[in-house]
Amino acid sequence: MINQLIWSIGILTLTVLLFQLFKFIIPYLRSSQLLKYKTEDAYALITGATDGIGKAIALELANNGFNVIIHGRNVEKLKSVENEIMTKNTTCKVIHLLHDGSESSKMDISSIANLPINILVNNVGVGPISELTEMSNEEIDKTIMLNTTFPSQLTHDLIPFFKRPALILNMSSYAGLLPPPYLAIYAGTKAYNNAFSISLACELENIEVISLVTGSVNTGSNRKPVSLMRPSAETYAKCVLNRIGCGKQTIMPYWQHAIQTFLISILPQKFIDKVTKNALKKELATKGAI
Ligand SMILES: NC(=O)c1ccc[n+]([C@@H]2O[C@H](COP(=O)([O-])OP(=O)(O)OC[C@H]3O[C@@H](n4cnc5c(N)ncnc54)[C@H](OP(=O)(O)O)[C@@H]3O)[C@@H](O)[C@H]2O)c1
């Protein structure tokens, strides 16, 4: 009788674990549905497209035949990204949107409102590493505005103009799930991005909304070298576009990040806190950013 009970519990546990594993793997095996959004003359708007992940996603979308609206705060960098895109994709139409999202959360979109926009990538974001008390009130306001209010207002303003079917990608971070020290404001904004995205995914009909929970990626603001756990922005952008149509509201596009985060989450909290605090303290000493 006891033996039978132990067997039953064992088989049930194994079944649940296999089911969880299946649920984890399937979204990474599904083929990308990106081209579903490539209606005639389709445009994709990417915020923070002059560097890092945003630039890589803009280039990758152009490679896939989309026209792109690239947002940034620096005219020269916007021109340089446009040149890079046009060199590889001569028929691609590139439009600039110049706006500092930390100065004002409301961007003038009147120049693009009549274009057939099918994709919005809310990528822009900054993450200054700092003790909270070392940040000025202005820096806190600007970080929150750029990372949360700006994408919220932009999404609000663009939805009525979207050509359907449409896609919204929101850039969150592992810091929003496992908030590290010295990144309190950033972690808070990235948790916001994730919650905002999941809520919209349930709310909107005929618009796919995915929260991209991002681990470490080699970019303009994260100069740590490329490794198995830290892809280049270009590799990461390909993974992001491969996850379109994955069926999940929130996903870590790079599967190695998902495994890394799972393994970290099963460690004792005190141990995680101690290790991350030491690591972030070292970064703080060199005044980096994530
Ligand atoms: N890299 C990582 O390890 C990592 C990890 C987790 C999440 N993420 C998220 O991924 C996103 C992109 O990060 P990234 O590492 O690719 O950053 P990045 O290389 O520093 O690029 C940031 C982009 O945003 C633009 N930008 C910054 N401040 C702006 C402002 N006030 N107004 C308008 N544009 C502004 C930058 O313009 P300039 O070229 O003029 O500076 C650049 O185009 C962020 O949301 C970040 O939180 C990154």
Side-chain angles (χ1 to χ4, degrees), residues 28 31 41 44 51 54 76 85 87 91 108 114 118 152 158 168 170 176 186 191 209 220-222 249 260 262 265 282:
Y28 294 96
S31 50
D41 215 25
D51 215 331
E76 292 312 314
I85 292 174
T87 311
T91 56
D108 180 6
N114 291 327
N118 294 72
S152 307
L158 260 188
I168 302 173
N170 294 302
Y186 177 72
V209 186
S221 61
N222 183 354
Q249 295 168 345
Q260 185 183 33
F262 169 73
S265 73
K282 273 190 197 156

PDB file of all heavy atoms in Angstrom, residues 28 31 41 44 51 54 76 85 87 91 108 114 118 152 158 168 170 176 186 191 209 220-222 249 260 262 265 282:
ATOM      1  N   TYR A  28      10.020  28.024 -27.700  1.00  0.00           N
ATOM      2  CA  TYR A  28      11.304  28.206 -28.387  1.00  0.00           C
ATOM      3  C   TYR A  28      11.379  27.382 -29.681  1.00  0.00           C
ATOM      4  O   TYR A  28      12.255  27.591 -30.503  1.00  0.00           O
ATOM      5  CB  TYR A  28      12.472  27.835 -27.464  1.00  0.00           C
ATOM      6  CG  TYR A  28      12.586  28.775 -26.284  1.00  0.00           C
ATOM      7  CD1 TYR A  28      12.023  28.463 -25.059  1.00  0.00           C
ATOM      8  CD2 TYR A  28      13.212  30.013 -26.420  1.00  0.00           C
ATOM      9  CE1 TYR A  28      12.090  29.339 -23.985  1.00  0.00           C
ATOM     10  CE2 TYR A  28      13.285  30.900 -25.359  1.00  0.00           C
ATOM     11  CZ  TYR A  28      12.724  30.555 -24.140  1.00  0.00           C
ATOM     12  OH  TYR A  28      12.790  31.441 -23.086  1.00  0.00           O
ATOM     13  N   SER A  31       7.869  28.200 -34.959  1.00  0.00           N
ATOM     14  CA  SER A  31       8.533  29.058 -35.955  1.00  0.00           C
ATOM     15  C   SER A  31       7.964  30.483 -35.882  1.00  0.00           C
ATOM     16  O   SER A  31       6.804  30.691 -35.519  1.00  0.00           O
ATOM     17  CB  SER A  31       8.402  28.467 -37.355  1.00  0.00           C
ATOM     18  OG  SER A  31       7.071  28.148 -37.602  1.00  0.00           O
ATOM     19  N   ASP A  41       3.705  47.502 -47.677  1.00  0.00           N
ATOM     20  CA  ASP A  41       4.323  48.761 -47.235  1.00  0.00           C
ATOM     21  C   ASP A  41       4.409  48.888 -45.704  1.00  0.00           C
ATOM     22  O   ASP A  41       4.430  49.993 -45.163  1.00  0.00           O
ATOM     23  CB  ASP A  41       3.522  49.951 -47.802  1.00  0.00           C
ATOM     24  CG  ASP A  41       4.460  51.110 -48.149  1.00  0.00           C
ATOM     25  OD1 ASP A  41       5.639  50.845 -48.395  1.00  0.00           O
ATOM     26  OD2 ASP A  41       4.000  52.265 -48.133  1.00  0.00           O
ATOM     27  N   ALA A  44       7.649  49.456 -39.168  1.00  0.00           N
ATOM     28  CA  ALA A  44       7.879  49.101 -37.765  1.00  0.00           C
ATOM     29  C   ALA A  44       8.532  50.303 -37.093  1.00  0.00           C
ATOM     30  O   ALA A  44       9.458  50.896 -37.650  1.00  0.00           O
ATOM     31  CB  ALA A  44       8.794  47.889 -37.678  1.00  0.00           C
ATOM     32  N   ASP A  51      21.354  52.599 -31.063  1.00  0.00           N
ATOM     33  CA  ASP A  51      22.434  51.810 -30.462  1.00  0.00           C
ATOM     34  C   ASP A  51      21.866  50.480 -29.960  1.00  0.00           C
ATOM     35  O   ASP A  51      20.648  50.295 -29.910  1.00  0.00           O
ATOM     36  CB  ASP A  51      23.069  52.593 -29.280  1.00  0.00           C
ATOM     37  CG  ASP A  51      24.565  52.344 -29.187  1.00  0.00           C
ATOM     38  OD1 ASP A  51      25.007  51.247 -29.588  1.00  0.00           O
ATOM     39  OD2 ASP A  51      25.286  53.243 -28.734  1.00  0.00           O
ATOM     40  N   GLY A  54      18.022  48.069 -29.769  1.00  0.00           N
ATOM     41  CA  GLY A  54      17.068  48.762 -30.642  1.00  0.00           C
ATOM     42  C   GLY A  54      17.581  48.866 -32.067  1.00  0.00           C
ATOM     43  O   GLY A  54      16.862  48.603 -33.029  1.00  0.00           O
ATOM     44  N   GLU A  76      22.842  62.791 -35.638  1.00  0.00           N
ATOM     45  CA  GLU A  76      23.963  62.156 -36.342  1.00  0.00           C
ATOM     46  C   GLU A  76      23.861  60.633 -36.249  1.00  0.00           C
ATOM     47  O   GLU A  76      24.084  59.912 -37.225  1.00  0.00           O
ATOM     48  CB  GLU A  76      25.308  62.636 -35.760  1.00  0.00           C
ATOM     49  CG  GLU A  76      25.620  64.104 -36.038  1.00  0.00           C
ATOM     50  CD  GLU A  76      25.394  64.484 -37.507  1.00  0.00           C
ATOM     51  OE1 GLU A  76      25.833  63.724 -38.380  1.00  0.00           O
ATOM     52  OE2 GLU A  76      24.747  65.518 -37.767  1.00  0.00           O
ATOM     53  N   ILE A  85      21.293  50.849 -42.633  1.00  0.00           N
ATOM     54  CA  ILE A  85      20.120  50.095 -43.103  1.00  0.00           C
ATOM     55  C   ILE A  85      20.028  50.160 -44.631  1.00  0.00           C
ATOM     56  O   ILE A  85      19.840  49.138 -45.302  1.00  0.00           O
ATOM     57  CB  ILE A  85      18.818  50.646 -42.457  1.00  0.00           C
ATOM     58  CG1 ILE A  85      18.802  50.343 -40.959  1.00  0.00           C
ATOM     59  CG2 ILE A  85      17.583  50.045 -43.139  1.00  0.00           C
ATOM     60  CD1 ILE A  85      17.644  50.966 -40.197  1.00  0.00           C
ATOM     61  N   THR A  87      22.317  50.730 -46.852  1.00  0.00           N
ATOM     62  CA  THR A  87      23.385  50.033 -47.568  1.00  0.00           C
ATOM     63  C   THR A  87      22.994  48.583 -47.825  1.00  0.00           C
ATOM     64  O   THR A  87      23.251  48.028 -48.894  1.00  0.00           O
ATOM     65  CB  THR A  87      24.690  50.062 -46.717  1.00  0.00           C
ATOM     66  OG1 THR A  87      24.903  51.395 -46.300  1.00  0.00           O
ATOM     67  CG2 THR A  87      25.883  49.557 -47.472  1.00  0.00           C
ATOM     68  N   THR A  91      15.781  49.213 -50.862  1.00  0.00           N
ATOM     69  CA  THR A  91      14.378  49.619 -51.084  1.00  0.00           C
ATOM     70  C   THR A  91      13.669  49.995 -49.777  1.00  0.00           C
ATOM     71  O   THR A  91      12.510  50.429 -49.801  1.00  0.00           O
ATOM     72  CB  THR A  91      13.588  48.482 -51.765  1.00  0.00           C
ATOM     73  OG1 THR A  91      13.715  47.322 -50.949  1.00  0.00           O
ATOM     74  CG2 THR A  91      14.092  48.209 -53.168  1.00  0.00           C
ATOM     75  N   ASP A 108       5.686  63.843 -30.539  1.00  0.00           N
ATOM     76  CA  ASP A 108       4.797  64.248 -31.626  1.00  0.00           C
ATOM     77  C   ASP A 108       4.840  63.168 -32.712  1.00  0.00           C
ATOM     78  O   ASP A 108       5.877  62.955 -33.343  1.00  0.00           O
ATOM     79  CB  ASP A 108       5.275  65.597 -32.176  1.00  0.00           C
ATOM     80  CG  ASP A 108       4.397  66.085 -33.324  1.00  0.00           C
ATOM     81  OD1 ASP A 108       3.374  65.432 -33.603  1.00  0.00           O
ATOM     82  OD2 ASP A 108       4.757  67.115 -33.942  1.00  0.00           O
ATOM     83  N   ASN A 114      -0.198  58.662 -40.431  1.00  0.00           N
ATOM     84  CA  ASN A 114      -0.917  58.126 -41.597  1.00  0.00           C
ATOM     85  C   ASN A 114      -0.207  56.947 -42.251  1.00  0.00           C
ATOM     86  O   ASN A 114      -0.690  56.405 -43.256  1.00  0.00           O
ATOM     87  CB  ASN A 114      -1.141  59.228 -42.634  1.00  0.00           C
ATOM     88  CG  ASN A 114      -2.135  60.250 -42.117  1.00  0.00           C
ATOM     89  OD1 ASN A 114      -3.052  59.889 -41.374  1.00  0.00           O
ATOM     90  ND2 ASN A 114      -1.935  61.508 -42.463  1.00  0.00           N
ATOM     91  N   ASN A 118       2.581  48.517 -38.439  1.00  0.00           N
ATOM     92  CA  ASN A 118       2.121  47.222 -37.931  1.00  0.00           C
ATOM     93  C   ASN A 118       2.867  46.788 -36.673  1.00  0.00           C
ATOM     94  O   ASN A 118       2.405  45.906 -35.952  1.00  0.00           O
ATOM     95  CB  ASN A 118       2.323  46.112 -38.976  1.00  0.00           C
ATOM     96  CG  ASN A 118       1.451  46.295 -40.190  1.00  0.00           C
ATOM     97  OD1 ASN A 118       1.691  47.183 -40.987  1.00  0.00           O
ATOM     98  ND2 ASN A 118       0.424  45.467 -40.313  1.00  0.00           N
ATOM     99  N   SER A 152       4.470  54.206 -22.438  1.00  0.00           N
ATOM    100  CA  SER A 152       3.020  54.095 -22.181  1.00  0.00           C
ATOM    101  C   SER A 152       2.250  55.095 -23.037  1.00  0.00           C
ATOM    102  O   SER A 152       1.237  54.757 -23.662  1.00  0.00           O
ATOM    103  CB  SER A 152       2.694  54.369 -20.703  1.00  0.00           C
ATOM    104  OG  SER A 152       3.471  53.557 -19.879  1.00  0.00           O
ATOM    105  N   LEU A 158      -0.408  55.482 -30.367  1.00  0.00           N
ATOM    106  CA  LEU A 158      -0.259  54.765 -31.651  1.00  0.00           C
ATOM    107  C   LEU A 158      -1.347  53.733 -31.916  1.00  0.00           C
ATOM    108  O   LEU A 158      -1.699  53.496 -33.081  1.00  0.00           O
ATOM    109  CB  LEU A 158       1.093  54.049 -31.681  1.00  0.00           C
ATOM    110  CG  LEU A 158       2.233  54.719 -32.440  1.00  0.00           C
ATOM    111  CD1 LEU A 158       3.401  53.774 -32.517  1.00  0.00           C
ATOM    112  CD2 LEU A 158       1.820  55.139 -33.847  1.00  0.00           C
ATOM    113  N   ILE A 168       3.119  44.490 -30.674  1.00  0.00           N
ATOM    114  CA  ILE A 168       3.831  45.402 -29.760  1.00  0.00           C
ATOM    115  C   ILE A 168       4.820  44.573 -28.944  1.00  0.00           C
ATOM    116  O   ILE A 168       4.437  43.575 -28.323  1.00  0.00           O
ATOM    117  CB  ILE A 168       2.861  46.118 -28.794  1.00  0.00           C
ATOM    118  CG1 ILE A 168       1.799  46.908 -29.551  1.00  0.00           C
ATOM    119  CG2 ILE A 168       3.641  47.032 -27.839  1.00  0.00           C
ATOM    120  CD1 ILE A 168       0.711  47.511 -28.659  1.00  0.00           C
ATOM    121  N   ASN A 170       7.524  44.892 -25.826  1.00  0.00           N
ATOM    122  CA  ASN A 170       7.934  45.757 -24.718  1.00  0.00           C
ATOM    123  C   ASN A 170       9.197  45.206 -24.070  1.00  0.00           C
ATOM    124  O   ASN A 170       9.225  44.031 -23.675  1.00  0.00           O
ATOM    125  CB  ASN A 170       6.810  45.843 -23.683  1.00  0.00           C
ATOM    126  CG  ASN A 170       5.588  46.555 -24.236  1.00  0.00           C
ATOM    127  OD1 ASN A 170       5.671  47.694 -24.666  1.00  0.00           O
ATOM    128  ND2 ASN A 170       4.460  45.853 -24.256  1.00  0.00           N
ATOM    129  N   GLY A 176      13.625  43.204 -13.493  1.00  0.00           N
ATOM    130  CA  GLY A 176      12.246  43.415 -13.064  1.00  0.00           C
ATOM    131  C   GLY A 176      11.677  42.204 -12.339  1.00  0.00           C
ATOM    132  O   GLY A 176      10.710  42.308 -11.589  1.00  0.00           O
ATOM    133  N   TYR A 186      15.617  51.408 -11.774  1.00  0.00           N
ATOM    134  CA  TYR A 186      15.595  50.649 -13.022  1.00  0.00           C
ATOM    135  C   TYR A 186      14.743  49.385 -12.867  1.00  0.00           C
ATOM    136  O   TYR A 186      13.871  49.103 -13.702  1.00  0.00           O
ATOM    137  CB  TYR A 186      17.033  50.276 -13.416  1.00  0.00           C
ATOM    138  CG  TYR A 186      17.129  49.420 -14.654  1.00  0.00           C
ATOM    139  CD1 TYR A 186      16.873  49.961 -15.912  1.00  0.00           C
ATOM    140  CD2 TYR A 186      17.477  48.072 -14.578  1.00  0.00           C
ATOM    141  CE1 TYR A 186      16.960  49.185 -17.056  1.00  0.00           C
ATOM    142  CE2 TYR A 186      17.573  47.286 -15.715  1.00  0.00           C
ATOM    143  CZ  TYR A 186      17.313  47.842 -16.948  1.00  0.00           C
ATOM    144  OH  TYR A 186      17.400  47.075 -18.079  1.00  0.00           O
ATOM    145  N   ALA A 191       9.883  46.114 -14.006  1.00  0.00           N
ATOM    146  CA  ALA A 191       8.721  45.350 -13.527  1.00  0.00           C
ATOM    147  C   ALA A 191       7.453  45.993 -14.104  1.00  0.00           C
ATOM    148  O   ALA A 191       6.512  45.302 -14.500  1.00  0.00           O
ATOM    149  CB  ALA A 191       8.681  45.353 -12.003  1.00  0.00           C
ATOM    150  N   VAL A 209       0.936  41.161 -28.141  1.00  0.00           N
ATOM    151  CA  VAL A 209       1.787  41.961 -27.251  1.00  0.00           C
ATOM    152  C   VAL A 209       2.690  41.007 -26.478  1.00  0.00           C
ATOM    153  O   VAL A 209       2.208  40.079 -25.827  1.00  0.00           O
ATOM    154  CB  VAL A 209       0.940  42.789 -26.255  1.00  0.00           C
ATOM    155  CG1 VAL A 209       1.834  43.727 -25.439  1.00  0.00           C
ATOM    156  CG2 VAL A 209      -0.147  43.580 -26.964  1.00  0.00           C
ATOM    157  N   GLY A 220      25.729  49.123 -26.289  1.00  0.00           N
ATOM    158  CA  GLY A 220      26.395  50.389 -25.981  1.00  0.00           C
ATOM    159  C   GLY A 220      26.492  50.644 -24.491  1.00  0.00           C
ATOM    160  O   GLY A 220      27.470  51.218 -24.015  1.00  0.00           O
ATOM    161  N   SER A 221      25.469  50.239 -23.742  1.00  0.00           N
ATOM    162  CA  SER A 221      25.512  50.517 -22.300  1.00  0.00           C
ATOM    163  C   SER A 221      25.948  49.309 -21.472  1.00  0.00           C
ATOM    164  O   SER A 221      26.066  49.404 -20.257  1.00  0.00           O
ATOM    165  CB  SER A 221      24.147  51.008 -21.813  1.00  0.00           C
ATOM    166  OG  SER A 221      23.184  50.016 -22.033  1.00  0.00           O
ATOM    167  N   ASN A 222      26.158  48.177 -22.106  1.00  0.00           N
ATOM    168  CA  ASN A 222      26.649  46.993 -21.390  1.00  0.00           C
ATOM    169  C   ASN A 222      27.843  46.448 -22.172  1.00  0.00           C
ATOM    170  O   ASN A 222      27.688  45.634 -23.087  1.00  0.00           O
ATOM    171  CB  ASN A 222      25.540  45.941 -21.276  1.00  0.00           C
ATOM    172  CG  ASN A 222      25.972  44.716 -20.480  1.00  0.00           C
ATOM    173  OD1 ASN A 222      27.149  44.594 -20.088  1.00  0.00           O
ATOM    174  ND2 ASN A 222      25.044  43.813 -20.228  1.00  0.00           N
ATOM    175  N   GLN A 249       2.759  35.632 -23.347  1.00  0.00           N
ATOM    176  CA  GLN A 249       2.674  37.089 -23.138  1.00  0.00           C
ATOM    177  C   GLN A 249       3.999  37.643 -22.642  1.00  0.00           C
ATOM    178  O   GLN A 249       4.277  38.828 -22.770  1.00  0.00           O
ATOM    179  CB  GLN A 249       1.580  37.397 -22.124  1.00  0.00           C
ATOM    180  CG  GLN A 249       0.205  37.030 -22.616  1.00  0.00           C
ATOM    181  CD  GLN A 249      -0.823  37.059 -21.519  1.00  0.00           C
ATOM    182  OE1 GLN A 249      -0.484  37.093 -20.342  1.00  0.00           O
ATOM    183  NE2 GLN A 249      -2.078  37.045 -21.902  1.00  0.00           N
ATOM    184  N   GLN A 260      19.363  30.280 -17.135  1.00  0.00           N
ATOM    185  CA  GLN A 260      20.164  30.976 -16.125  1.00  0.00           C
ATOM    186  C   GLN A 260      19.259  31.528 -15.002  1.00  0.00           C
ATOM    187  O   GLN A 260      19.531  31.337 -13.816  1.00  0.00           O
ATOM    188  CB  GLN A 260      20.909  32.125 -16.811  1.00  0.00           C
ATOM    189  CG  GLN A 260      21.878  32.876 -15.931  1.00  0.00           C
ATOM    190  CD  GLN A 260      22.504  34.059 -16.700  1.00  0.00           C
ATOM    191  OE1 GLN A 260      21.851  34.676 -17.553  1.00  0.00           O
ATOM    192  NE2 GLN A 260      23.743  34.360 -16.409  1.00  0.00           N
ATOM    193  N   PHE A 262      16.203  30.579 -14.217  1.00  0.00           N
ATOM    194  CA  PHE A 262      15.582  29.492 -13.464  1.00  0.00           C
ATOM    195  C   PHE A 262      16.564  28.957 -12.420  1.00  0.00           C
ATOM    196  O   PHE A 262      16.218  28.780 -11.249  1.00  0.00           O
ATOM    197  CB  PHE A 262      15.138  28.365 -14.420  1.00  0.00           C
ATOM    198  CG  PHE A 262      14.730  27.118 -13.686  1.00  0.00           C
ATOM    199  CD1 PHE A 262      13.529  27.082 -12.983  1.00  0.00           C
ATOM    200  CD2 PHE A 262      15.547  25.992 -13.671  1.00  0.00           C
ATOM    201  CE1 PHE A 262      13.154  25.946 -12.285  1.00  0.00           C
ATOM    202  CE2 PHE A 262      15.180  24.855 -12.979  1.00  0.00           C
ATOM    203  CZ  PHE A 262      13.980  24.830 -12.281  1.00  0.00           C
ATOM    204  N   SER A 265      16.907  31.284  -9.583  1.00  0.00           N
ATOM    205  CA  SER A 265      15.712  31.401  -8.736  1.00  0.00           C
ATOM    206  C   SER A 265      15.569  30.255  -7.741  1.00  0.00           C
ATOM    207  O   SER A 265      14.868  30.391  -6.743  1.00  0.00           O
ATOM    208  CB  SER A 265      14.452  31.512  -9.602  1.00  0.00           C
ATOM    209  OG  SER A 265      14.174  30.258 -10.185  1.00  0.00           O
ATOM    210  N   LYS A 282      30.930  45.899  -7.324  1.00  0.00           N
ATOM    211  CA  LYS A 282      32.104  46.040  -8.199  1.00  0.00           C
ATOM    212  C   LYS A 282      31.757  46.925  -9.395  1.00  0.00           C
ATOM    213  O   LYS A 282      32.527  47.787  -9.789  1.00  0.00           O
ATOM    214  CB  LYS A 282      32.539  44.653  -8.714  1.00  0.00           C
ATOM    215  CG  LYS A 282      33.483  43.945  -7.774  1.00  0.00           C
ATOM    216  CD  LYS A 282      34.066  42.717  -8.446  1.00  0.00           C
ATOM    217  CE  LYS A 282      34.654  41.786  -7.402  1.00  0.00           C
ATOM    218  NZ  LYS A 282      34.716  40.398  -7.854  1.00  0.00           N
TER     219      LYS A 282
END
